[in-house]
Amino acid sequence: MAKVIFPVEATHIMMFARAIGDPNPVYHDPTAAAGTEVGGIIAPPTFPQAVAQFDPDYPLRPKPGEPWFGSAAEPTGSTAQRGTGGLHASQEFEYHRALRPGDVLTVEVRDGESWERESKRAGKLLFSERIKEYRDQNGELVITARSVGVMTERPVES
Amino acid sequence: MALQASQLKVGDIHRERVVENLSRTQLVQYAGASGDYNPLHTDEIYTVQVAGYKGVFAHGMLTMGLTGKMLTNYVGDGRLTKFGVRFTNQVWPGDTLDARATVTAIREENGVHYADLEVVTTNQEGKEVVTGHATARIDP
């Protein structure tokens, strides 16, 4: 994901709000939303993560004709050794304004720091930080997202 | 309705039950909406037999989204300026989550009022699943 164009759409916001179980009309009802302080439909605070939909190379989406590491005829459909896979360790958003349907965002990602730590629950942990900047159709920075992923040596015991 | 600096005190708490008896179908719904189809969240066979977990578990971002619902209900729509969490424990199907925000500071910067919040979401056993912080723009 170098630079991804992320068009913000009302239906996508509605589906995302449903998925997080949020019935707030500001996410799906234009008439009700018009009467609120924000004056129209906006996106919920964690919606920027749905940029994954628009990343052509996003690895966690099955693609036609390519091996997929989830189950099909066999428990794993791919010989690729995913190990325990990566987990999400932390996520932070900084908001300059709310996202609205009609916004067309350009999202750029860059790598931040990486570090290692030993843990009792999952063995050696390898952390890596990614920073995403979301700019709108006017070139204004609207959201900065910092995400830390962790690769674990073994599954996390809970 | 936005919060008001004049009505708010450090230590004020808002809490909400953000999901009850989380279903596997909601994990599928979140995968579809967010675009994150990691089979760890929807594919029990892969998750148990290949990845070695006891079963599928929630996307961290679903737990953050559920927690964000509590925040926006508290501070109002479009009022958050910052929201960050650490994912401290996994969330499993069947979990019931309670999210809580505690006011840690009320401040003014360049004539704009803000509230800083500590954010914690716990499961039915009282175990923390996310901890974090948020900042919201509030009225005077």
Side-chain angles (χ1 to χ4, degrees):
Chain A
M1 174 174 165
K3 211 180 230 190
V4 169
I5 304 297
F6 178 7
V8 177
E9 293 161 359
T11 308
H12 191 191
I13 292 174
M14 178 191 76
M15 290 169 66
F16 190 92
R18 282 181 179 164
I20 59 169
D22 195 335
N24 187 338
V26 81
Y27 302 136
H28 65 86
D29 180 341
T31 311
T36 66
E37 186 192 23
V38 289
I41 287 181
I42 60 169
T46 59
F47 182 77
Q49 196 74 358
V51 64
Q53 299 279 16
F54 300 93
D55 178 356
D57 303 319
Y58 188 64
L60 298 174
R61 176 177 68 241
K63 298 174 194 73
E66 289 182 29
W68 175 242
F69 65 100
S71 69
E74 301 297 328
T76 180
S78 161
T79 51
Q81 288 302 307
R82 293 286 305 198
T84 59
L87 297 176
H88 203 166
S90 71
Q91 178 72 39
E92 187 179 64
F93 295 104
E94 201 175 320
Y95 307 100
H96 300 289
R97 70 162 173 87
L99 300 180
R100 296 172 185 272
D103 278 332
V104 179
L105 307 174
T106 301
V107 186
E108 268 188 281
V109 65
R110 58 188 159 88
D111 290 330
E113 294 173 42
S114 57
W115 63 97
E116 268 183 37
R117 193 163 65 77
E118 205 55 47
S119 107
K120 283 204 179 76
R121 280 166 70 205
K124 187 188 275 182
L125 306 179
L126 194 61
F127 292 91
S128 54
E129 186 187 35
R130 300 182 92 199
I131 296 145
K132 282 192 194 123
E133 287 181 338
Y134 298 69
R135 286 175 196 279
D136 69 9
Q137 50 282 12
N138 303 315
E140 299 285 336
L141 181 65
V142 287
I143 289 163
T144 307
R146 278 185 187 76
S147 141
V148 176
V150 57
M151 297 294 286
T152 64
E153 201 167 38
R154 51 177 190 268
V156 183
E157 291 158 24
S158 184
Chain B
M1 259 254 298
L3 297 173
Q4 288 177 291
S6 58
Q7 305 289 312
L8 208 59
K9 311 183 295 296
V10 168
D12 279 358
I13 290 177
H14 173 79
R15 64 177 93 223
E16 266 180 45
R17 176 147 297 177
V18 291
V19 71
E20 197 151 355
N21 191 15
L22 176 68
S23 68
R24 288 173 184 78
T25 306
Q26 187 164 357
L27 306 191
V28 172
Q29 200 178 8
Y30 186 78
S34 68
D36 178 349
Y37 294 97
N38 191 333
L40 289 174
H41 307 305
T42 54
D43 182 339
E44 189 86 9
I45 293 170
Y46 165 85
T47 304
V48 173
Q49 297 184 30
V50 180
Y53 288 93
K54 69 177 184 186
V56 294
F57 53 92
H59 303 71
M61 288 306 295
L62 171 56
T63 309
M64 187 178 190
L66 292 165
T67 303
K69 167 171 67 169
M70 171 280 294
L71 279 176
T72 48
N73 285 342
Y74 184 40
V75 305
D77 301 323
R79 290 281 185 153
L80 284 179
T81 58
K82 248 183 201 177
F83 179 24
V85 299
R86 287 177 57 228
F87 303 103
T88 53
N89 276 293
Q90 278 149 311
V91 171
W92 304 95
D95 279 0
T96 291
L97 303 182
D98 292 308
R100 181 175 83 230
T102 308
V103 177
T104 55
I106 300 157
R107 57 197 172 79
E108 194 181 336
E109 229 174 82
N110 303 320
V112 183
H113 296 263
Y114 295 95
D116 293 325
L117 308 163
E118 179 190 75
V119 177
V120 180
T121 299
T122 52
N123 67 14
Q124 63 285 355
E125 290 157 11
K127 198 187 240 187
E128 291 178 352
V129 292
V130 305
T131 60
H133 58 90
T135 299
R137 201 164 39 78
I138 59 176
D139 288 341

